[in-house]
Amino acid sequence: MVEAINCLDAESVSKLSPWLKAGTTIAVLGSSVVGKSTLINTLLGKEQQSTSGIREDDDKGRHTTTRRSLISLGAKGVILDTPGMREIQMADCKEGIAITFADIEGLVGQCKFGDCQHHSEPGCAVQQAISSGELEQRRLTNYLKLLREESFNSAMLSERRSSDKALGKYYKRIASESQKLKGR
Ligand SMILES: Nc1nc2c(ncn2[C@@H]2O[C@H](COP(=O)(O)OP(=O)(O)O)[C@@H](O)[C@H]2O)c(=O)[nH]1
Ligand SMILES: [Mg+2]
Ligand SMILES: [Zn+2]
């Protein structure tokens, strides 16, 4: 669905009401200055989120939304304001890929080798489907590309999570050791 709205106009923003229900969480995404915070303010009926129309000066210079925040819209659910993002990466979406490419995943199970990469192995059911015209090469390329992206991002994410955890433990240890030293 695409809705064109004026974020500054409550009546226009009310077009979004079918998606704003109790129990739902909505995230606003998009480049900086597209009007994400403005939209949220109009939904709230007050200027709660800083927008780039409001100048805020601090040691970092002029800025608007600098961090994520989760805002309650009462009976309209909750909404997540975000600073502008350059890109959105996928992770933990193996299930979504499996559903979207159910046809290919069905073929994969029929390949001769369990670890078939579906490029040039003998007995590859996927390549057979390409030759017979049952499957489009473009669709297979997309599938393989998404799988690669998924596994790369998920690995990066778990690496980052474990290094964050280790850092947290390190901080805790330093804090408790310095407490001990103070107590002496
Ligand atoms: N005319 C008009 N101005 C808008 C609209 N949405 C946002 N703005 C203005 O665009 C600027 C950036 O909005 P802001 O909410 O800070 O963008 P954000 O960075 O995506 O959060 C502000 O000056 C808003 O007043 C809109 O629908 N119409
Ligand atoms: Mg903003
Ligand atoms: Zn195969």
Side-chain angles (χ1 to χ4, degrees), residues 26-30 35-37 39-40 43 69 79-83 85:
I26 297 213
V28 288
L29 301 174
K36 299 179 295 295
S37 301
L39 170 63
I40 292 173
L43 289 169
S69 50
I79 195 158
L80 181 68
D81 196 9
T82 60
M85 292 185 200

Side-chain angles (χ1 to χ4, degrees), residues 28 32-33 35-38 49-52 64-66 81-84:
V28 288
S32 225
V33 202
K36 299 179 295 295
S37 301
T38 305
Q49 296 297 102
S50 313
T51 61
S52 59
T64 49
T65 312
T66 52
D81 196 9
T82 60

Side-chain angles (χ1 to χ4, degrees), residues 39-73:
L39 170 63
I40 292 173
N41 286 342
T42 299
L43 289 169
L44 284 168
K46 60 181 176 190
E47 300 294 310
Q48 180 172 314
Q49 296 297 102
S50 313
T51 61
S52 59
I54 300 164
R55 284 174 189 188
E56 258 186 38
D57 286 299
D58 68 359
D59 55 337
K60 286 181 215 138
R62 201 173 295 156
H63 70 109
T64 49
T65 312
T66 52
R67 58 181 66 195
R68 285 163 287 188
S69 50
L70 194 61
I71 301 139
S72 170
L73 295 175

Side-chain angles (χ1 to χ4, degrees), residues 98-158:
I99 293 166
T100 312
F101 295 94
D103 52 339
I104 301 181
E105 298 242 331
L107 292 167
V108 167
Q110 296 162 33
C111 293
K112 181 176 165 144
F113 298 108
D115 63 347
C116 186
Q117 299 298 299
H118 325 300
H119 291 303
S120 55
E121 287 95 330
C124 173
V126 176
Q127 285 301 332
Q128 257 159 42
I130 300 269
S131 316
S132 72
E134 184 195 329
L135 178 66
E136 248 183 285
Q137 177 62 49
R138 202 171 64 98
R139 190 164 165 76
L140 174 61
T141 306
N142 284 341
Y143 169 75
L144 295 173
K145 189 170 162 228
L146 283 175
L147 274 190
R148 273 199 309 274
E149 213 174 306
E150 203 283 333
S151 74
F152 179 77
N153 287 337
S154 297
M156 290 289 281
L157 206 64
S158 80

Side-chain angles (χ1 to χ4, degrees), residues 86-98:
R86 279 197 201 92
E87 68 172 330
I88 298 173
Q89 294 186 335
M90 301 188 311
D92 288 331
C93 57
K94 274 211 179 85
E95 208 184 306
I97 295 175

